[in-house]
Amino acid sequence: MTSRKYSWARNLSRSAGKLVAGLAALTMYAGIAIAQVAVPGTSVTMTPPEGFTIAGGFSGFENAEKQGSFLIAEFPAEAASQLSGLFADQSGAATAFAQKGITVESREEIDNADGDTIPLLRGSQEANGVTLEKWMALYAADKVVMVTFQIPKDSALDEDTMKAAFASVKLAGAFNKPEGDPRLAELPYEFDIVEPFRLASVTDRTGALLTVGPKDVDPEATQPQIVLTYTESAAPVSDLKTYAKIIMNALGDAVTIETQEETTFADLDGVASHGTFTENGVKKNFVQVVAPTGSGAFIGFIGTASQDKYEGLKDAIEEVAASVTIKG
């Protein structure tokens, strides 16, 4: 992938900056269907059932309305032999988990996203006068992971939904080997992940969020970010520069566009915008590019960082942008 696909990359203004924060909130955290999601602080990615989002008080997912949760617990590899014994057969599992007040009703094996065969237990537990449905599975890679699901029986999800969620679990790879991340294969475009940026999440098989820092979920956009999007348009756009301005102004306050020019992006004719944005008292630089495809969709790119960090990340942002290409 060469920089000719992104003709403005060598002309980036020093003052460029935010917008990804608003777009990240818009596309990553605002009601759009979720595909593979990385669980912060763990080596796990999975596709939670509809209505489940990243939990605030523990590692996993939760649905406050249904009072359901997926708890992700990681253990060192050395724990594999001990934990695997708990899942080896239904009789042994029933005995072991009975000590925790859990009744194991069935055991089966499923294949997960890594192609491994995973033991899956189903049972129930009484807690505070409520009967909970419980599902538990064990995964092993560089670490050992136990995923536990619980929900009141009255709100229980159907069996196919539960099995699909447990089958979607993937360990590691998402951060250390981004080129092998299965989530990237689902996108309609491809790009290079350039250090120090790493892949944080993929949304709805159309959006990708890259970041620098420990947080995968960063609604206040405290970390540098790159957001890539692919959006089907309901109507043709005759003025691309105006369209780009509308997008940016809809994403936040005090957006200042300092330069805007025609460019080539992902081998398409597009518009590049550079400017500044102040968020939570922090002034940031942004670069945004949008280009229409021949099918009536739009592909977009936004890179942002606080002004004290942007200059040091500019080359990496340019390199990611230069690498973007439409698949097929």
Side-chain angles (χ1 to χ4, degrees), residues 293-306:
T293 71
S295 64
F298 284 85
I299 184 168
F301 174 99
I302 304 172
T304 185
S306 59

Side-chain angles (χ1 to χ4, degrees), residues 176-199:
N176 299 325
K177 300 178 181 178
E179 71 279 2
D181 195 307
R183 297 173 294 174
L184 297 180
E186 301 174 343
L187 295 172
Y189 52 86
E190 60 185 4
F191 59 93
D192 293 337
I193 299 175
V194 181
E195 293 183 351
F197 285 93
R198 62 180 179 80
L199 183 65

Side-chain angles (χ1 to χ4, degrees), residues 19-29 189 191 197 201 203 206-211 221 224-230 251 265 287-289 299-304 317 320-321 324:
L19 178 50
V20 69
L23 187 56
L26 205 66
T27 60
M28 300 293 172
Y29 309 114
Y189 52 86
F191 59 93
F197 285 93
S201 61
T203 299
T206 57
L209 173 64
L210 281 66
T211 191
Q225 295 179 331
I226 291 174
V227 171
L228 288 139
T229 58
Y230 187 93
L251 295 175
F265 176 60
V287 56
Q288 181 239 30
V289 196
I299 184 168
F301 174 99
I302 304 172
T304 185
I317 292 172
V320 175
V324 178

